[in-house]
Amino acid sequence: YLLKPIDLGELKAAATRATNTVHMRQRSHELTQQLKASETQLRALVDHARVLLVALDDQQRIVQANAALARLSGHSEAALVGRDWVAEFVPKTAQDTRRQELKLAALEHVDQPSLEIIYAADGSTRRISWLTRALPSPQGTLLYRAGIDVTEQRAAQARAQ
């Protein structure tokens, strides 16, 4: 047998690359698992808090919605995706104004508080106190809205006066 001369420097570099690749794959797997666990915990917290969460695209279509909004609307989270937020939830008399306010919020990139009346699945209207913020995403700028139903609170305040 003829042996090819071994370059110890090349052998050591190849072994180091292989070891680094194995370590990076292990670390990537660990980080992926941690991210999944974190997302699950965050999702559980958001759903438990009963806060309405919705993400809207530049056409004011629903990109994401949480379980609380799904319950209020009577649709599944998946069924809400793609629906026109304003046409679906906002009373006709307020739709033009709401569309303009959402367009403005998309441009300003600052928290925009608002009180909005929306339709619920049972046909009632609910007063929602929203905080809206535009953030960049791979799909373009999205409007992220977090809302709390203040219908009963407002009714109680009105009765107290």
Side-chain angles (χ1 to χ4, degrees):
Y1 294 95
L2 295 173
L3 293 177
K4 180 179 173 187
I6 297 174
D7 181 342
L8 290 178
E10 279 184 35
L11 181 60
K12 185 177 177 182
T16 300
R17 281 193 306 273
T19 302
N20 287 342
T21 299
V22 169
H23 287 294
M24 283 190 291
R25 285 184 181 158
Q26 288 173 337
R27 185 67 178 140
S28 175
H29 178 72
E30 290 169 6
L31 291 173
T32 300
Q33 295 305 314
Q34 289 174 2
L35 179 60
K36 286 180 183 177
S38 178
E39 287 173 346
T40 300
Q41 289 173 336
L42 181 59
R43 183 64 141 170
L45 175 66
V46 164
D47 288 343
H48 179 72
R50 296 188 181 179
V51 173
L52 306 175
L53 296 175
V54 64
L56 306 175
D57 67 11
D58 61 349
Q59 300 299 309
Q60 300 167 0
R61 291 181 306 245
I62 299 171
V63 175
Q64 273 185 312
N66 72 335
L69 183 60
R71 281 190 300 276
L72 182 73
S73 72
H75 301 289
S76 70
E77 293 171 58
L80 288 171
V81 173
R83 292 179 185 249
D84 181 312
W85 171 260
V86 175
E88 186 81 20
F89 291 101
V90 178
K92 291 208 181 301
T93 56
Q95 287 183 359
D96 289 340
T97 301
R98 182 64 56 219
R99 284 197 191 282
Q100 291 304 315
E101 289 172 352
L102 292 172
K103 285 180 185 176
L104 183 62
L107 297 173
E108 292 188 355
H109 294 271
V110 295
D111 292 335
Q112 295 286 329
S114 63
L115 184 64
E116 183 175 299
I117 295 175
I118 66 169
Y119 291 122
D122 62 6
S124 67
T125 56
R126 309 299 296 175
R127 290 182 182 275
I128 310 296
S129 178
W130 290 104
L131 190 58
T132 303
R133 175 166 271 211
L135 294 171
S137 81
Q139 298 124 315
T141 298
L142 294 182
L143 282 179
Y144 290 92
R145 307 188 81 201
I148 298 172
D149 187 339
V150 295
T151 306
E152 281 79 21
Q153 176 188 5
R154 294 292 173 110
Q157 288 172 342
R159 285 190 302 270
Q161 293 178 344

